[in-house]
Amino acid sequence: MRVVMKFGGTSVGDVDAIRKVVAIIKESHEQGNEVAVVVSAMTKVTDQIIAEAERIVTCTDRKVLDTFMSDLRTRHITTLEAVAPDYVEEVTEHIDIRLERLKNILVAVHNLRELTPRSRDYIISFGEKLSAPIVSAALRQIGIPSFQISGCDAGILTDGVHGNATALHESYARIAERIGSRLANEIPVIQGFAGCSKEGAVTTLGRSGSDYSGAIIGAGVDADEIIIWTDVDGVMTTDPRMISEARVIDSISFIEMMEMSYFGAKVIHSRALIPAMEKDIPVYVRNTFNASHPGTLVSRETHTDERIVKAVSLIKNSCLVSVSGFTTGRPGVAGEIFTALAEAGVNVMLISQGSSELNISMIITEDQMAQAEQALAAITERGLVKKYSFTTNVQVVSVVGAGMRGTPGTIARIFRSLGEKHINVLMLSQGSSELNISFVVNEEDGIKAVRAIHEEYHLDKESE
Ligand code: ADP
Ligand code: ASP
Ligand code: MG
């Protein structure tokens, strides 16, 4: 069998974790599987690199950079020494070359006082450039032939959209040739999170994008299965950090899972399932720290058990945008609004439109408010709409389940359970697939609303 395993940041976050990772890979290898591995950066490393890149644009204190670089080096080298003592010299040399490159580009950013999307992408891809050689060396340490390689060299070719790139279909044949052909003899450890544009520029796949890398590689090598190894037992009924009663879901369809991750279930990157879906490869989500648990199977099948609702998720830091006073009798105003927002790079997560077409409410993330404001100001100036407003401190609750399709009364039941808890709904939207109902509440009600629905549908229990 051919298996692609992706290990997240916590799974490669320290010595103990990497030992677990290596044991998991070894077991699969010994069962006779061909294995390709994709890794994230060590926990928090990408965040730290981003923070340093943003700091150094304006800051003059070079000492901070030196401390940052030496902390980064220490963390990686001490981990390497513990997991691959026989390869310390060779791998340290690689790591030092990469750290030198990272430092040079950070200094350049500082000197130019400019962090462009292109340089930012190049910089933030370094976390994975540092973790992959360590994991690969740890495999060699226990006698498993392995090499490490960048997403770009592995064949991931992207559309060149910095910060949120999409893999082109051409990637698959390249991956088959560069990675698939070597799987019989060695285990590649591929740096997740990034690929290259046709011009050869490093492009990242969006935050948490290593899941997407895993699925792209899986599709490229025609894997029999893709396993996303993480720090929870599988996909759960809601984020267990938010609601401790959350339970593991045994199986879920690609579509349901995509809805869940789009609406905040961080356990899988929202676009990660697309390549797996295209090639119909089952995806398992499993726990590196509890490897005996079977985890969750994500596949094409819609498992219509008796459950109506399968999961609830929450998006924090959202902003409700209301646009009203459309020019009457002029068709296409809504289209112009969305075009203007899209051109400004604003991602509209939810839309609700009054039937009169005289107003529209939308949800965007708080960090895109400034761009949205600019776009809407231009639309207002052109006289297409009269006014717009932003309501911050709101959250989006999303209820997912294929069983909702054709079950009358679901919205009424959801609203009743919210009403009983005195939770006010600011906006409501139902996807046409009927797999998803999303609504917007004030920040202080977000977790309360998730809990209310979790309880209403008995998601903490084996059956409803
Ligand atoms: P990794 O570093 O392995 O990619 P992430 O932190 O990106 O891990 O994703 C795993 C985390 O996703 C879990 O620790 C959990 O807190 C969070 N999470 C959010 N929603 C869910 C959900 N519905 N099921 C499981 N985990 C979830
Ligand atoms: N290291 C990247 C991030 O933190 C990608 C990933 O971990 O999936 O966003
Ligand atoms: Mg993740």
Side-chain angles (χ1 to χ4, degrees):
M1 203 163 68
R2 220 169 228 201
V3 187
V4 172
M5 298 189 177
K6 176 263 171 177
F7 293 91
T10 340
S11 302
V12 296
D14 59 31
V15 172
D16 284 347
I18 294 179
R19 291 207 167 113
K20 292 197 163 65
V21 165
V22 167
I24 289 168
I25 299 170
K26 180 171 181 250
E27 193 184 333
S28 186
H29 176 70
E30 284 175 351
Q31 284 165 358
N33 294 328
E34 289 183 349
V35 185
V37 174
V38 174
V39 290
S40 286
M42 294 176 84
T43 349
K44 301 252 158 58
V45 165
T46 310
D47 289 339
Q48 289 161 356
I49 297 178
I50 292 174
E52 181 57 15
E54 285 170 357
R55 184 198 68 83
I56 210 161
V57 187
T58 50
C59 183
T60 46
D61 189 355
R62 278 284 301 273
K63 264 221 196 95
V64 182
L65 174 63
D66 293 338
T67 312
F68 167 75
M69 293 303 306
S70 99
D71 288 352
L72 199 59
R73 182 176 193 278
T74 307
R75 180 166 176 200
H76 286 87
I77 302 296
T78 48
T79 307
L80 169 68
E81 285 165 351
V83 298
D86 296 349
Y87 295 92
V88 171
E89 205 176 316
E90 174 204 317
V91 180
T92 301
E93 208 174 295
H94 280 295
I95 289 180
D96 278 338
I97 291 171
R98 287 173 185 179
L99 287 170
E100 187 63 25
R101 279 191 205 139
L102 174 61
K103 185 169 178 180
N104 288 343
I105 177 90
L106 286 169
V107 169
V109 163
H110 173 70
N111 289 338
L112 294 167
R113 302 287 191 277
E114 188 185 35
L115 182 61
T116 62
R118 184 177 282 219
S119 52
R120 185 187 155 96
D121 253 4
Y122 177 68
I123 291 169
I124 71 175
S125 70
F126 268 82
E128 280 73 7
K129 288 192 187 305
L130 301 174
S131 62
I134 299 176
V135 175
S136 180
L139 286 172
R140 287 188 284 151
Q141 182 70 40
I142 56 161
I144 299 179
S146 170
F147 65 99
Q148 68 84 42
I149 184 167
S150 70
C152 189
D153 290 339
I156 300 180
L157 197 63
T158 73
D159 60 0
V161 174
H162 285 292
N164 200 24
T166 300
L168 302 178
H169 268 97
E170 294 150 73
S171 305
Y172 298 156
R174 291 157 54 106
I175 294 166
E177 194 187 306
R178 297 175 188 197
I179 300 295
S181 61
R182 297 177 70 174
L183 291 182
N185 306 314
E186 349 169 51
I187 295 188
V189 178
I190 300 152
Q191 300 158 19
F193 190 35
C196 276
S197 66
K198 285 198 167 152
E199 294 75 43
V202 173
T203 37
T204 59
L205 306 167
R207 289 307 306 272
S208 298
S210 299
D211 296 335
Y212 186 26
S213 309
I216 299 165
I217 298 292
V221 301
D222 267 317
D224 296 292
E225 59 186 47
I226 296 166
I227 310 178
I228 307 283
W229 289 94
T230 182
D231 59 1
V232 281
D233 283 343
V235 178
M236 306 184 77
T237 49
T238 191
D239 188 346
R241 287 187 210 180
M242 193 161 60
I243 309 275
S244 58
E245 293 85 3
R247 216 177 35 85
V248 178
I249 299 170
D250 301 337
S251 56
I252 188 164
S253 68
F254 283 131
I255 309 283
E256 288 172 306
M257 189 64 229
M258 279 165 88
E259 294 276 354
M260 273 181 77
S261 36
Y262 182 79
F263 286 106
K266 191 182 163 227
V267 64
I268 298 191
H269 176 283
S270 61
R271 284 180 299 139
L273 294 171
I274 296 171
M277 252 173 102
E278 278 173 2
K279 295 256 179 138
D280 199 9
I281 304 170
V283 177
Y284 291 85
V285 178
R286 300 185 59 183
N287 192 347
T288 304
F289 305 92
N290 186 19
S292 58
H293 194 291
T296 301
L297 165 64
V298 191
S299 69
R300 190 172 43 164
E301 303 306 316
T302 308
H303 298 268
T304 33
D305 48 25
E306 78 283 16
R307 280 198 182 272
I308 299 169
V309 165
K310 253 192 191 146
V312 200
S313 51
L314 183 70
I315 307 186
K316 297 179 175 165
N317 306 323
S318 306
C319 169
L320 173 66
V321 188
S322 302
V323 188
S324 58
F326 286 25
T327 315
T328 38
R330 190 181 188 292
V333 177
E336 297 208 33
I337 293 174
F338 293 124
T339 306
L341 288 170
E343 279 168 3
V346 178
N347 175 31
V348 176
M349 290 189 280
L350 274 186
I351 304 164
S352 162
Q353 183 174 21
S355 57
S356 60
E357 280 209 25
L358 295 180
N359 67 71
I360 285 185
S361 305
M362 317 171 249
I363 293 292
I364 62 171
T365 53
E366 249 173 23
D367 58 6
Q368 295 200 313
M369 248 173 77
Q371 289 126 282
E373 157 94 73
Q374 260 189 1
L376 293 174
I379 291 271
T380 316
E381 237 165 65
R382 286 169 55 205
L384 296 177
V385 301
K386 285 211 176 64
K387 57 177 186 189
Y388 58 88
S389 63
F390 294 96
T391 310
T392 50
N393 303 328
V394 300
Q395 300 190 341
V396 181
V397 181
S398 200
V399 186
V400 172
M404 293 195 294
R405 189 184 284 147
T407 305
T410 305
I411 292 189
R413 186 168 167 194
I414 289 174
F415 270 58
R416 187 176 34 77
S417 68
L418 297 173
E420 280 165 7
K421 298 277 184 326
H422 308 287
I423 296 166
N424 183 35
V425 174
L426 306 174
M427 173 180 158
L428 169 75
S429 168
Q430 179 175 25
S432 60
S433 60
E434 286 190 61
L435 284 172
N436 170 293
I437 291 172
S438 298
F439 57 88
V440 181
V441 295
N442 285 318
E443 194 171 66
E444 61 273 18
D445 287 335
I447 294 184
K448 255 168 54 186
V450 172
R451 184 176 291 284
I453 289 160
H454 207 265
E455 282 172 7
E456 173 66 29
Y457 285 95
H458 305 288
L459 294 182
D460 57 331
K461 308 262 166 27
E462 277 298 321
S463 61
E464 206 188 321

